[in-house]
Amino acid sequence: MIRLIGILTGLFFALMAVWGFGTGLATVISDGQLKEATAEHEFHLHPRDAELASDGAFGKWDLAQLQRGMQVYKEVCAACHGLKFVAFRDLTALGYSEAEVKAIAAGFQVPGIDPNTGEANTRPGLPTDYFPSPYPNSVAAAAANNNAIPPDLSLMTKARHDGGNYVYSLLTGYRNVDTFSIDGKKVKEEFPEFSTPPNTHFNPYFANLNIAMAAPLTTEGQVTYAEGQPKATVDQMSRDVAAFLTWTAEPKKVKRTQVGWPVMGFLLFATILAWMAKNQVWAAIKPKKKPA
């Protein structure tokens, strides 16, 4: 009787799983997700490999690149995007001295309070402060950017699939919609109804192909790197700021990887040791033979 109940219970759950799959498939079809291809589906590109030093199982931070990326953020990206989860003092991990961190912090205006009147004001940043938003609130941000609120970049590379590569590809991916093609197929020829609305810009690395942000990096030398550093091409600046934003999103990434390998080695050794101990303990005990 118990076996019969078990079989019926298993059959019930199997039927429920099949029913759920069928319902989901019907919903997808009814929502039109399986209808004819769209421009977004056909011409959306996967991110290109930025070849960051922090990538891979043996990745490490390239401090010189992170500092260049910090410079690009400060001189270009900070005009529209904040880093609300990153404190200025965290920059010491990139090789900056305490004096340099103080100078960087002082270059930003952060919210403060007048000690005499108690009124809200702004003041130069301190190492203990966090990177401020360039706008006082979301309404002001939308008003200054055609109703498109620039996102905070602290966790951007964690919020997007293949984040570092995504940022790099997006910054270098702006194209002319009228001439852009893949395998000889042009967007306008394949989908004549597709258009780039006013105040948007065509970028095949963006999900719906049209992004509100204009290309922020457009010319070589837009940021002046220190002597001895690579030439500040659009590609190099994009790669550097992608590396920096990878660090802001996951500053312990390399440390975690470095600690992970010894831990994996220890667990492997402990597993082998436990298996050998088990064989040693039970070696003298022979299994009983079943009667014929």
Side-chain angles (χ1 to χ4, degrees):
M1 184 64 182
I2 294 177
R3 181 177 296 181
L4 178 61
I5 294 175
I7 294 174
L8 292 176
T9 302
L11 182 61
F12 170 76
F13 282 108
L15 290 175
M16 289 299 295
V18 172
W19 179 81
F21 175 78
T23 303
L25 183 60
T27 302
V28 169
I29 295 175
S30 64
D31 288 344
Q33 295 183 19
L34 294 183
K35 292 182 180 179
E36 59 181 282
T38 62
E40 290 81 358
H41 178 267
E42 292 294 317
F43 290 92
H44 179 234
L45 299 179
H46 293 288
R48 296 184 294 126
D49 187 3
E51 299 180 355
L52 303 180
S54 58
D55 290 344
F58 299 97
K60 59 182 180 180
W61 297 123
D62 182 340
L63 297 186
Q65 183 175 52
L66 295 182
Q67 290 189 11
R68 294 195 303 270
M70 159 59 195
Q71 184 180 354
V72 174
Y73 167 77
K74 179 183 177 182
E75 297 184 20
V76 180
C77 307
C80 297
H81 301 275
L83 289 174
K84 64 181 179 181
F85 295 121
V86 182
F88 292 111
R89 61 187 174 187
D90 295 336
L91 296 178
T92 55
L94 305 188
Y96 290 107
S97 66
E98 291 186 8
E100 289 174 323
V101 170
K102 288 182 179 179
I104 293 172
F108 288 82
Q109 292 292 312
V110 301
I113 298 177
D114 189 319
N116 299 317
T117 64
E119 295 180 352
N121 63 5
T122 58
R123 59 171 174 78
L126 298 172
T128 52
D129 292 319
Y130 287 74
F131 280 84
S133 169
Y135 305 103
N137 51 61
S138 59
V139 176
N145 294 277
N146 298 307
N147 291 322
I149 301 176
D152 183 87
L153 297 182
S154 305
L155 305 176
M156 183 56 65
T157 59
K158 292 289 288 182
R160 299 293 183 269
H161 172 67
D162 204 8
N165 293 332
Y166 168 79
V167 171
Y168 163 70
S169 300
L170 188 73
L171 293 176
T172 58
Y174 288 85
R175 300 289 187 270
N176 186 330
V177 66
D178 294 322
T179 59
F180 180 75
S181 65
I182 297 178
D183 297 330
K185 297 180 179 179
K186 292 186 176 182
V187 180
K188 288 295 188 178
E189 292 178 355
E190 297 294 319
F191 301 93
E193 72 284 0
F194 179 82
S195 64
T196 299
N199 301 317
T200 62
H201 310 271
F202 180 75
N203 192 318
Y205 294 100
F206 195 64
N208 67 1
L209 307 183
N210 293 321
I211 184 172
M213 179 179 70
L217 300 171
T218 57
T219 57
E220 182 177 314
Q222 188 171 339
V223 174
T224 303
Y225 285 164
E227 186 176 351
Q229 297 296 321
K231 183 180 293 186
T233 62
V234 171
D235 185 87
Q236 185 65 55
M237 290 185 291
S238 301
R239 199 184 304 270
D240 293 343
V241 77
F244 174 67
L245 294 178
T246 298
W247 174 81
T248 64
E250 203 171 3
K252 303 297 183 183
K253 175 182 178 181
V254 170
K255 184 65 176 179
R256 187 177 67 249
T257 302
Q258 292 173 343
V259 172
W261 283 111
V263 171
M264 292 294 292
F266 171 77
L267 292 176
L268 178 61
F269 172 76
T271 300
I272 296 174
L273 191 64
W275 179 75
M276 295 176 65
K278 173 259 181 186
N279 287 344
Q280 181 67 25
V281 169
W282 296 95
I285 301 177
K286 297 180 179 179
K288 294 182 179 180
K289 293 184 178 181
K290 294 182 179 181

